[in-house]
Structure formats: structure tokens, C-alpha cells
Amino acid sequence: MLIQRLQPPLRASLTSIARSGASNSHTGLHEAFAALRLCQKETQGGNLNFVRYATHKAQGAVNKAKDGPGKRLGCKKSGEQYVIPGNIIFRQRGTHWFPGDNCAMGRDHTIYATESGYVKYYKDPERHPKRQYIGVVFERNQVLPLPRNSMRRRRLGLAASQMEFSTVAETPEVVEESAELQGEEGAVQTQVSAPAPAKKVRERKGEEGRVLTLRPGYMYREANWEIGRAAERAKIQVRAFKPRDRWTAWKKATVRKVANAGKRGLRGGGKQGKK
């Protein structure tokens, strides 16, 4: 804001008026009016003295560090680049990319490799029409996504293949017939031996008839309802549960907790007094 400096003429006129009261009133008034006219002429002529006051707050540095260094988001491994288990492939905020074959995603949406291989960026319309995936393959020329229900290569670079089992077990009669045929042709006849009896596995007490299956988490255990029948299988008499007055039990427990809290307070007060 600009303010005119009019203090000296006004101060002179006021001084002259004060003097006029003491001496001649007419002369003092004439001097005061002359001072005011002089002030008006200076104002109209443009002879002004201005004072500049700050109207804006002083600004600080422009390129000042705000929240420390960046988070270093983005791609860390490009397509067809070799990675090992645990290598970070992509850092992101949100799921712009999703984990595909042989990849996983951390809690901060970081995608990392779970197997050694080559990185592949791809889309899988059959799985999701719009999502983008990152996967790892064992061979550089392999293409993702793989066809549905196709053979997958797993850990150690091995290919999964279906094993063929014979559905009909060889009985002693079949073995005798094959031996007779060999004798007719001049082969040496072999004496057929009876199959060895299966070794009986000794079961622990209380575990008779238990069927342990492989459950999630790679644990061999049975269902919870079967675990609850362990005492029944072991023929152990368990005392039946008899519900009583729960309100009375709750009241006693409340009184006991209050008494224990009071004892703890007394022990703490004594220690503080000793200190």
C-alpha cells in the first residue's frame, strides 16, 4: 500500500495554529492556511514521497525436496531376460500387471519370479479379457499363454507325463499258464511260489482304522470330526459335560478379578514406597 507523506506540512500548520493562540490570532490563521495551500499544491503537482510496504509473503525455495526419494517403481526385468527365484520383475502401486506362470505377487503388488527362466509379458483372453500378465518360462522360445489343459513343465525342468498302470493284477493261475506254455516250447519250467503274505502294520492304541490323507499345507491328517472321536475309538470313558448356572460363574469370576487387581495395586504401592 502506498501512503503519501503529508506529515511535515500538517505539522507546520498545527504548530502555527498553536502559536497564534498565544500571540496574534489573525497572523497564525493566515500562516496555517498558507501551509495547507502549499500542501495542496505539492499534492497536485506530483511531488509525493511514497512508502512501500510488503503485500506478499516471501516465498521459499522452488525445487525443495518434498517427501524424500522416490519409490523406484516400474519394470526391473525386461522381456526374455533371465531371472532366478526371488528376482523382482515389476514394482507397482495397484495391479496394473498380474502374476502369471511361475510368478507371484507380494503384499505391495510387487511381482517376482518363483522359478528360474525367462520373463514373458503377455495377455490371456481366455483367462481374463483385459488383464496383463507377467510369466516365466524355462525356454527362451516358449510362448505364453499356454493352451488350455496342455502339459506344463514344472520344477527342475521336467515335463509331466501320465504314467501307465496295469489294471488287471496277475493271479497265480495266470502265472501257471505262462509257465506251462514256456515248458511246451522247451523253456525251463519254473516253480510257482505263493505270494508272500502282506506284513501287518501295527497300529497305535486309539488310532485303529484311521485314514490319513494329504491335506492342504502338505499335512497328513484326518478330518476334525474324526479327530474328535479319538477317545471313542480308544474306548476311553469321558465325563459328560453338565452345564451349570453361567451367571453365577460370571459373577464369581468378576469378584475374583477385582480382588486380584487390588492385590496387585498393593504390591505395586509398597515397591514405590521403598524406592
Side-chain angles (χ1 to χ4, degrees), residues 75-83 89 118-121:
C75 176
K76 307 302 176 185
K77 301 291 182 181
S78 60
E80 298 188 359
Q81 189 172 354
Y82 186 78
V83 292
I89 302 175
Y118 301 91
V119 179
K120 294 287 183 178
Y121 293 83

Side-chain angles (χ1 to χ4, degrees), residues 195-210:
K199 186 177 180 182
K200 186 176 181 181
V201 180
R202 184 179 179 183
E203 296 180 343
R204 298 173 59 183
K205 184 179 180 181
E207 296 184 357
E208 295 82 359
R210 293 183 65 184

Side-chain angles (χ1 to χ4, degrees), residues 16 18 33 69 81 105 137 145 172 183 195 205 208 220 225 266 275:
S16 62
F33 285 125
Q81 189 172 354
M105 184 166 61
V137 296
K205 184 179 180 181
E208 295 82 359
Y220 284 94
W225 66 273
L266 292 175
K275 289 182 180 178

Side-chain angles (χ1 to χ4, degrees), residues 101 120-127 133 137 142-148 150 152:
D101 291 356
K120 294 287 183 178
Y121 293 83
Y122 65 97
K123 284 189 175 182
D124 192 352
E126 295 185 9
R127 189 174 179 183
Y133 294 92
V137 296
Q142 192 175 354
V143 180
L144 291 178
L146 297 175
R148 302 301 102 176
S150 64
R152 258 67 167 172

Side-chain angles (χ1 to χ4, degrees), residues 78-261:
S78 60
E80 298 188 359
Q81 189 172 354
Y82 186 78
V83 292
I84 62 175
N87 276 12
I88 294 175
I89 302 175
F90 205 96
R91 282 193 179 275
Q92 57 186 344
R93 287 292 174 268
T95 51
H96 301 287
W97 293 87
F98 286 83
D101 291 356
N102 302 318
C103 284
M105 184 166 61
R107 65 179 185 179
D108 61 344
H109 308 107
T110 297
I111 297 179
Y112 60 94
T114 57
E115 298 291 340
S116 299
Y118 301 91
V119 179
K120 294 287 183 178
Y121 293 83
Y122 65 97
K123 284 189 175 182
D124 192 352
E126 295 185 9
R127 189 174 179 183
H128 198 280
K130 296 183 179 180
R131 288 184 178 177
Q132 306 175 107
Y133 294 92
I134 301 176
V136 173
V137 296
F138 299 103
E139 297 178 359
R140 188 186 293 270
N141 57 359
Q142 192 175 354
V143 180
L144 291 178
L146 297 175
R148 302 301 102 176
N149 302 323
S150 64
M151 183 174 58
R152 258 67 167 172
R153 294 188 61 184
R154 300 301 181 187
R155 189 174 296 177
L156 303 178
L158 302 178
S161 60
Q162 186 176 4
M163 298 179 63
E164 297 181 359
F165 297 94
S166 58
T167 56
V168 180
E170 293 184 354
T171 58
E173 291 79 6
V174 174
V175 175
E176 290 177 359
E177 290 178 0
S178 60
E180 291 176 358
L181 292 174
Q182 291 177 1
E184 292 177 356
E185 295 175 358
V188 179
Q189 295 185 1
T190 58
Q191 187 177 2
V192 179
S193 60
K199 186 177 180 182
K200 186 176 181 181
V201 180
R202 184 179 179 183
E203 296 180 343
R204 298 173 59 183
K205 184 179 180 181
E207 296 184 357
E208 295 82 359
R210 293 183 65 184
V211 179
L212 302 178
T213 57
L214 184 62
R215 300 178 66 85
Y218 296 97
M219 295 184 298
Y220 284 94
R221 62 186 297 270
E222 54 193 356
N224 293 334
W225 66 273
E226 293 179 350
I227 294 174
R229 296 180 61 245
E232 181 180 348
R233 287 196 301 267
K235 299 179 181 180
I236 299 175
Q237 296 293 333
V238 181
R239 186 174 60 181
F241 174 74
K242 295 181 180 180
R244 295 184 176 84
D245 189 357
R246 301 306 305 159
W247 187 87
T248 305
W250 170 80
K251 197 68 176 176
K252 291 181 179 180
T254 305
V255 173
R256 185 173 63 254
K257 291 177 183 177
V258 171
N260 293 337

Side-chain angles (χ1 to χ4, degrees), residues 30-106:
H30 285 300
E31 292 177 358
F33 285 125
L36 290 174
R37 289 192 195 97
L38 178 62
C39 177
Q40 187 176 4
K41 288 180 182 179
E42 291 180 357
T43 307
Q44 292 176 357
N47 299 325
L48 299 176
N49 296 325
F50 296 101
V51 179
R52 175 67 166 84
Y53 292 99
T55 56
H56 294 280
K57 183 181 178 182
Q59 297 181 358
V62 177
N63 299 324
K64 186 171 63 175
K66 295 175 178 61
D67 295 327
K71 302 303 180 183
R72 276 54 173 170
L73 304 179
C75 176
K76 307 302 176 185
K77 301 291 182 181
S78 60
E80 298 188 359
Q81 189 172 354
Y82 186 78
V83 292
I84 62 175
N87 276 12
I88 294 175
I89 302 175
F90 205 96
R91 282 193 179 275
Q92 57 186 344
R93 287 292 174 268
T95 51
H96 301 287
W97 293 87
F98 286 83
D101 291 356
N102 302 318
C103 284
M105 184 166 61

